[in-house]
C-alpha cells in the first residue's frame, strides 16, 4: 500500500454481505485491497440457528422489538417483501435455488444494448456456479414426487432444480468431509440430510451459504467483517463532492437500543450491497440529508418482484411427511413465461400457516373477498372438521406444499421516500404504481390438480386475497443499470452516476424481470462488476460512471 493510501482505514468499504457484497469482498481482497464489510445482521453458527419458526426471537429480524433473527417481512401496498439480514445476507434463509434466467432478459429493460450481455455473462455465471457449488438436486422428497405427478397429470414439464447444497451420491447423509469445493481452503462440510430446514438456516453444514464460500475466503485474504453494524451515513471526504478524495462512513450498532457505539471509518471507495430494498432505502436517506446529493433521482424506479404468487395445497392425513427434502427441490413449467416450484419448511416450522387459507379464484377486489368468504363458509358446511383442520397452523409444515409461481413477464412498481399520512414524523419507503397480479389462473388450476392427487385442499395466501398484495422473496431493481442518470442509477459496470469509486452490487441493479430465483444472477453480475476493478497496485482511484456525455473512464 502506498503512503497516500495509509491515511484511510480501508481501501473499500462494502455495505452488506449478501450475494453482491460477498462477491465484492472476496474479489477485492483477492486483488490486494484492504476491505471492510459492514453487515447489519448477526453472524450465525449451526449451534445458534433456530430449530423451528416458533423461535421468533431467533428467526425474525426486528431488533427494536427484541427479535434478532435473520428473516424479515416488509409490508408495502404493492407487495410483502421477504428478505434476510445476517452475515451472509439472504443466503442464510434462502432456499438455495440457483437458476439462470432465459436469455431474453438481456433484450429488455434499461440495460439493453449497454454490453454484449449474452456473450459476456456465461463466464460469470460459470464462476458464480463454481463458487456457490451449484449442482442438480439429487434429493426428491415427497412434495417433489407430488409435483411430478401433478405435472404428468396436467401435461407440463417437470425438472429438478439447480441448488447450492452439498449432496453426494457416494456418501451417506450427514457425513462430514474436508472442504470439497476449494481445494482444502474452505471449511469442512457435511452431506445433506434432507431435513427441509434450508430456509430456517442449515444447522448441518450442507447448504452453501455465503459465510462458507465467498465470505470465508474473503476473510482468509484479510477482509474484516463488522456484524451488527448499521451504516447511517456516507459522505465524500474533504468536501470534494464527487468522492474522488474518498469517503467517510458512519455506523452504529444495529442491535442496540441505547449504547449504539457510533463509529467513523474512512475509505477510498464504497460498494453498496445492502439488498435491493436496503440499498434503495439507504440511498434515499443519504440523498435526502445532503450526504450524497448527486445520486440519480431514478432511485426507487423500476422495482420488480418476479411477478410472483404463492399458492399451495394442504393434505391432512397424508401418509408422508411433506417437509422432508430440500427447501426447493423441483419445479414445473406450465407455459413459456411461467414456472412453479415446490417449497417446504422443516417439520415443526408452522408459523407461516397463519397466512394460508382456502384457494380462491377471481380478480382482486371486493368480489374476490366475497368469493373467498363464500368458499370458506361452503367448506365449513360440507367438511367442518377438515376445514378447521387445514386452517389451523399445527402440523402445517408436515402437511403443506407451497407452490411458488414466478413469471418472466414485465411488470414493475415504484418506491418513494415519503411521510405517510398516518405517521408524519419521519419518512419511509412506500410503494406506488400499478398492482402486480396476485391471481394467476393457470397456477391456481395446477394447485387444484395437485390437491386432488392427495384428497387435500388447494390453498391461497391470505394477504393476496384480502389486500391484493403478493408475497415475494425476490425484490429486484430500484437502482437499475442504464446509460445515463436520467434512466438509472449505475452504468453497465455498476458505477454510481455522479460519484467516483462508488458502486452498487446487489439485486437493485437488475433491470428486467428474471422470472427465476435471482441469487445466481446477482452473484454473476457482481463477478462481472468486480472483474473491471484492477489489482490494488494498479488502481488510479478515478473510476467514474460512463454516460453519453462522459466517455468510459476505465
Amino acid at each position: 500500500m502506498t503512503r497516500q493510501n495509509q491515511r484511510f482505514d480501508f481501501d473499500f468499504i462494502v455495505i452488506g454481505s449478501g450475494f453482491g457484497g460477498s462477491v465484492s469482498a472476496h474479489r477485492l481482497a483477492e486483488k490486494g485491497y484492504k476491505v471492510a464489510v459492514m453487515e447489519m445482521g448477526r453472524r450465525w453458527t449451526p449451534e445458534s440457528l433456530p430449530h423451528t419458526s416458533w423461535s421468533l426471537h431467533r428467526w425474525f429480524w426486528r431488533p427494536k422489538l427484541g427479535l434478532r433473527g435473520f428473516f424479515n417481512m416488509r409490508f408495502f401496498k404493492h407487495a410483502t417483501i421477504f428478505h434476510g439480514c445476517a452475515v451472509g445476507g439472504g443466503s442464510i434463509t434462502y432456499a438455495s435455488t440457483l437458476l439462470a434466467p432465459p436469455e431474453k432478459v438481456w433484450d429488455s429493460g434499461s440495460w439493453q444494448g449497454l454490453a454484449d450481455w449474452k456473450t459476456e455473462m456465461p463466464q460469470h455465471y460459470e464462476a458464480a456456479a463454481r463458487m456457490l457449488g451449484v449442482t442438480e438436486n439429487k434429493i426428491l422428497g415427497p412434495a417433489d414426487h407430488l409435483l411430478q405427478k401433478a405435472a404428468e397429470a396436467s401435461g407440463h414439464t417437470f425438472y429438478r432444480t439447480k441448488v447450492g447444497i452439498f449432496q453426494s451420491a457416494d456418501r451417506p447423509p450427514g457425513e462430514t468431509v474436508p472442504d470439497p469445493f476449494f481445494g482444502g481452503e474452505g471449511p469442512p462440510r457435511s452431506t445433506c440430510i434432507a431435513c427441509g430446514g434450508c430456509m430456517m438456516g442449515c444447522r448441518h453444514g450442507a447448504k452453501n451459504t455465503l459465510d462458507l464460500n465467498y465470505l470465508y475466503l474473503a476473510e482468509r485474504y484479510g477482509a474484516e467483517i463488522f456484524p451488527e453494524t448499521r451504516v447511517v451515513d456516507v459522505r465524500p471526504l474533504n468536501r470534494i463532492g464527487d468522492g474522488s478524495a474518498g469517503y467517510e462512513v458512519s455506523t452504529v450498532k444495529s442491535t442496540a437500543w441505547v449504547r449504539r457505539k457510533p463509529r467513523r471509518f474512512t475509505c477510498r471507495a464504497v460498494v453498496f450491497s445492502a439488498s435491493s430494498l436496503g440499498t434503495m432505502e439507504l440511498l434515499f436517506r443519504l440523498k435526502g440529508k445532503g450526504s450524497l446529493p448527486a445520486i440519480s433521482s431514478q432511485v426507487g424506479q423500476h422495482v420488480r418482484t418476479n411477478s410472483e404468487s404463492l399458492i399451495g395445497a394442504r393434505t391432512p392425513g397424508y401418509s408422508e411427511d411433506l417437509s422432508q427434502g430440500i427447501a426447493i427441490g423441483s419445479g414445473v413449467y406450465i407455459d413459456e413465461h411461467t414456472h412453479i416450484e415446490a417449497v417446504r419448511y422443516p417439520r415443526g416450522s408452522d408459523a407461516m400457516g397463519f397466512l394460508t387459507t382456502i384457494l380462491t379464484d377471481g380478480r382482486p377486489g371486493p368480489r374476490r373477498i366475497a368469493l373467498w368468504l363464500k368458499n370458506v363458509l361452503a367448506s365449513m358446511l360440507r367438511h367442518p372438521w377438515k376445514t378447521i383442520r387445514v386452517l389451523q397452523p399445527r402440523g402445517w409444515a408436515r402437511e403443506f406444499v407451497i407452490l411458488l409461481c414466478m413469471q418472466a413477464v414485465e411488470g414493475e412498481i415504484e418506491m418513494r421516500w415519503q411521510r405517510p399520512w398516518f405517521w408524519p414524523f419521519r419518512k419511509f419507503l412506500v410503494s406506488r404504481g400499478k398492482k402486480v397480479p396476485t391471481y394467476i389462473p393457470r397456477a391456481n388450476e395446477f394447485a387444484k390438480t395437485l390437491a386432488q392427487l392427495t384428497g387435500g385442499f388447494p390453498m391461497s395466501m391470505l394477504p393476496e386475497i384480502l389486500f391484493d398484495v403478493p408475497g415475494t422473496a425476490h425484490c429486484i431493481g430500484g437502482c437499475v443499470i442504464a446509460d445515463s442518470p436520467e434512466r438509472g442509477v449505475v452504468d453497465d459496470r455498476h458505477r454510481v452516476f455522479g460519484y467516483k469509486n462508488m458502486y452498487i452490487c446487489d439485486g437493485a441493479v437488475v433491470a428486467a424481470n428474471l422470472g427465476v430465483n435471482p441469487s445466481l444472477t446477482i452473484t454473476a453480475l457482481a463477478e462481472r462488476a468486480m472483474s473491471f476493478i484492477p489489482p490494488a497496485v494498479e488502481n488510479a482511484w478515478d473510476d467514474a460512471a460512463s454516460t453519453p456525455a462522459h466517455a468510459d473512464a476505465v
Side-chain angles (χ1 to χ4, degrees):
M1 189 182 296
T2 67
R3 294 181 65 87
Q4 182 184 16
N5 289 345
Q6 288 177 357
R7 61 189 176 90
F8 294 93
D9 297 315
F10 298 97
D11 295 321
F12 278 84
I13 288 181
V14 180
I15 303 172
S17 63
F19 290 93
S22 295
V23 172
S24 302
H26 172 47
R27 296 307 180 195
L28 291 169
E30 189 178 46
K31 292 182 178 186
Y33 293 102
K34 187 177 182 183
V35 179
V37 180
M38 305 299 172
E39 170 53 55
M40 187 162 63
R42 296 169 57 190
R43 188 189 287 266
W44 292 88
T45 65
E47 295 75 26
S48 62
L49 288 165
H51 288 256
T52 75
S53 59
W54 295 113
S55 300
L56 293 181
H57 67 292
R58 286 194 292 165
W59 182 39
F60 259 86
W61 171 259
R62 287 294 173 86
K64 290 183 179 179
L65 300 177
L67 306 177
R68 299 173 181 174
F70 50 81
F71 173 75
N72 198 7
M73 298 172 66
R74 296 282 299 274
F75 300 96
F76 298 93
K77 182 179 180 180
H78 294 75
T80 299
I81 297 175
F82 313 133
H83 65 98
C85 185
V87 173
S91 76
I92 303 302
T93 189
Y94 89 134
S96 205
T97 308
L98 297 161
L99 302 174
E103 282 194 341
K104 66 180 181 180
V105 302
W106 308 110
D107 297 327
S108 61
S110 57
W111 58 17
Q112 181 182 0
L114 297 186
D116 189 356
W117 300 107
K118 293 179 183 179
T119 300
E120 292 183 36
M121 288 306 297
Q123 63 179 312
H124 301 298
Y125 275 110
E126 182 180 344
R130 183 177 63 254
M131 290 293 297
L132 296 173
V134 176
T135 185
E136 184 176 82
N137 176 38
K138 302 177 181 66
I139 301 170
L140 292 183
D144 302 302
H145 292 301
L146 272 180
L147 187 75
Q148 187 171 19
K149 290 179 182 177
E152 292 169 353
S154 53
H156 300 312
T157 303
F158 174 85
Y159 66 91
R160 295 171 181 249
T161 52
K162 298 289 183 68
V163 296
I165 296 174
F166 180 37
Q167 302 177 352
S168 177
D170 56 356
R171 296 181 183 276
E175 180 178 350
T176 300
V177 300
D179 166 47
F181 295 108
F182 306 112
E185 292 188 13
R189 305 300 302 282
S190 297
T191 51
C192 180
I193 65 171
C195 68
C198 310
M199 294 193 293
M200 293 305 303
C202 180
R203 295 181 292 109
H204 308 287
K207 182 179 169 184
N208 297 338
T209 50
L210 294 167
D211 56 325
L212 299 178
N213 42 63
Y214 279 109
L215 287 178
Y216 186 92
L217 297 176
E219 289 189 286
R220 289 198 61 169
Y221 278 108
E224 295 184 51
I225 298 176
F226 294 79
E228 300 179 49
T229 300
R230 181 185 176 195
V231 172
V232 294
D233 201 9
V234 178
R235 58 178 65 233
L237 284 171
N238 302 331
R239 299 184 179 180
I240 298 178
D242 65 357
S244 56
Y247 297 92
E248 175 184 304
V249 177
S250 300
T251 70
V252 296
K253 187 174 177 62
S254 63
T255 52
W257 291 347
V258 180
R259 298 179 180 178
R260 306 193 71 190
K261 299 180 180 178
R263 299 184 66 179
R264 172 186 173 276
F265 302 90
T266 58
C267 60
R268 296 301 305 259
V270 175
V271 181
F272 289 90
S273 301
S275 81
S276 175
L277 206 58
T279 292
M280 274 190 287
E281 189 166 35
L282 182 55
L283 290 181
F284 270 126
R285 290 181 186 274
L286 298 178
K287 182 177 177 66
K289 70 193 294 186
S291 297
L292 296 176
I295 292 291
S296 168
S297 60
Q298 289 294 300
V299 170
Q301 303 293 312
H302 312 298
V303 179
R304 295 173 169 90
T305 64
N306 252 351
S307 297
E308 293 180 21
S309 178
L310 289 170
I311 48 181
R314 186 159 184 178
T315 59
Y318 191 62
S319 60
E320 296 188 79
D321 184 351
L322 297 177
S323 70
Q324 296 298 298
I326 66 171
I328 299 179
S330 62
V332 56
Y333 287 98
I334 62 175
D335 62 38
E336 62 176 323
H337 302 296
T338 310
H339 73 119
I340 294 174
E341 296 172 341
V343 186
R344 78 216 74 193
Y345 278 88
R347 186 168 185 166
S349 293
D350 302 328
M352 292 288 284
F354 285 113
L355 298 179
T356 57
T357 189
I358 302 295
L359 184 75
T360 303
D361 294 329
R363 298 183 65 179
R367 289 187 179 181
R368 191 180 189 194
I369 296 173
L371 181 59
W372 166 69
L373 290 171
K374 178 183 175 182
N375 289 347
V376 173
L377 180 60
S379 183
M380 289 289 289
L381 291 174
R382 289 196 305 265
H383 312 288
W385 297 116
K386 279 189 175 181
T387 303
I388 293 172
R389 177 80 166 75
V390 299
L391 293 179
Q392 60 83 35
R394 185 178 176 84
W396 178 84
R398 181 171 50 84
E399 300 172 348
F400 201 94
V401 180
I402 304 171
L403 298 176
L404 169 59
C405 179
M406 292 176 282
Q407 294 190 301
V409 295
E410 272 305 306
E412 60 184 58
I413 59 177
E414 175 188 352
M415 289 289 185
R416 295 182 183 175
W417 189 240
Q418 294 180 341
R419 288 183 174 86
W421 63 267
F422 58 84
W423 192 258
F425 307 105
R426 55 169 291 194
K427 291 185 176 182
F428 294 89
L429 276 182
V430 296
S431 62
R432 293 286 186 271
K434 186 178 179 181
K435 287 271 190 175
V436 178
T438 59
Y439 172 49
I440 303 174
R442 296 196 67 184
N444 278 28
E445 290 302 315
F446 187 84
K448 294 174 187 177
T449 299
L450 189 144
Q452 287 171 359
L453 292 173
T454 63
F457 286 67
M459 307 289 283
S460 292
M461 294 296 289
L462 198 56
E464 293 189 5
I465 294 174
L466 294 182
F467 310 112
D468 188 23
V469 175
T472 179
H474 303 148
C475 178
I476 52 178
C479 301
V480 298
I481 292 171
D483 60 359
S484 69
E486 288 72 40
R487 299 188 65 211
V489 180
V490 296
D491 73 353
D492 71 295
R493 297 188 180 186
H494 299 228
R495 299 172 295 196
V496 175
F497 292 118
Y499 293 93
K500 289 188 175 182
N501 310 314
M502 182 181 288
Y503 312 83
I504 298 177
C505 289
D506 58 23
V509 305
V510 177
N513 224 39
L514 301 177
V516 297
N517 315 62
S519 301
L520 184 65
T521 295
I522 295 169
T523 306
L525 284 168
E527 285 276 14
R528 178 180 178 274
M530 291 299 105
S531 72
F532 294 117
I533 296 180
V537 294
E538 300 175 10
N539 201 327
W541 300 107
D542 61 354
D543 204 11
S546 61
T547 66
H550 179 109
D552 197 345
V554 171

